[in-house]
Amino acid sequence: FINGNRIADAQVVDADNYEGDEVADFAELCKETFAVGWDYETWSPDIPDDKINVVGSRPTGVSFCAGNNFQYAFYVPVDHRDSANLPVEIIGEFLNAIPETTATVAHNLQFETIVTAQNFDMVIEGGYDTAIMNSYVDENNESGLKKCSKRELNYDQETFQEVLRKGGKSVLVSEATDD
């Protein structure tokens, strides 16, 4: 829905293509669906890359998926190295654009709601947690997103270290150096 054109593929909404009407476009798109999927990518300052401090996690970006068949997806970078990042506050604007009548869906929803509360002083109420839903299908299955992706989609997700480290250097703006 960039520049008024709906898209069927995933797209990055960043400072290079953001024109200011994307939040309103997203709000309209949310009216077509009963739920919006979303997921943060985060980092925790002063914590080793293989650990996560939930309360201290800061968003590096967020993805959303919506539409009557969940056919529209986009990612908003806010703290990536060598990226046209948008200000982190834009995440709160996108979240506020989701109507109260539209459900939210996230894997490990508790993490997403804590990060939202800590970084945007917002409370996300209700919503569906696909990690918990997974346990309803088979309580013996591991409910981590990487395990679910492999089991259900035969898709191998990158590890946390692979996402954050490229060529031995951090991809976070906050850790970027002039080299």
Side-chain angles (χ1 to χ4, degrees):
F1 56 92
I2 302 303
N3 303 325
N5 298 317
R6 293 270 169 100
I7 56 173
D9 296 275
Q11 180 166 346
V12 174
V13 176
D14 62 15
D16 288 341
N17 62 11
Y18 184 78
E19 294 187 354
D21 56 354
E22 287 80 3
V23 172
D25 289 347
F26 177 61
E28 287 300 312
L29 181 63
C30 288
K31 293 176 184 177
E32 297 178 14
T33 183
F34 70 93
V36 172
W38 62 296
D39 179 53
Y40 284 123
E41 297 304 323
T42 63
W43 74 288
S44 301
D46 304 320
I47 301 293
D49 283 348
D50 62 339
K51 306 289 184 211
I52 295 175
N53 171 1
V54 176
V55 174
S57 289
R58 297 183 185 163
T60 60
V62 63
S63 60
F64 292 99
C65 181
N68 59 359
N69 286 318
F70 302 105
Q71 69 271 37
Y72 304 112
F74 63 98
Y75 182 77
V76 181
V78 297
D79 190 13
H80 287 273
R81 186 177 188 179
D82 300 326
S83 293
N85 294 304
L86 286 169
V88 69
E89 295 80 16
I90 196 72
I91 292 174
E93 292 179 33
F94 276 108
L95 289 171
N96 276 322
I98 302 171
E100 289 183 18
T101 56
T102 302
T104 59
V105 179
H107 197 81
N108 193 5
L109 184 64
Q110 182 178 8
F111 175 82
E112 311 304 317
T113 56
I114 291 170
V115 170
T116 301
Q118 295 290 61
N119 289 276
F120 305 107
D121 198 27
M122 294 173 58
V123 176
I124 304 293
E125 295 192 20
Y128 297 95
D129 187 329
T130 56
I132 293 173
M133 294 169 125
N134 176 68
S135 69
Y136 294 155
V137 173
D138 184 343
E139 65 188 36
N140 297 308
N141 281 340
E142 291 187 52
S143 62
L145 187 57
K146 287 174 183 57
K147 294 286 186 182
C148 288
S149 293
K150 182 63 177 176
R151 185 179 58 252
E152 303 298 331
L153 304 171
N154 197 28
Y155 176 74
D156 292 310
Q157 289 188 337
E158 288 184 325
T159 66
F160 185 68
Q161 290 81 7
E162 290 168 334
V163 171
L164 289 182
R165 302 276 177 200
K166 300 292 181 191
K169 296 181 182 179
S170 172
V171 296
L172 297 173
V173 168
S174 11
E175 293 181 8
T177 59
D178 295 329
D179 47 13

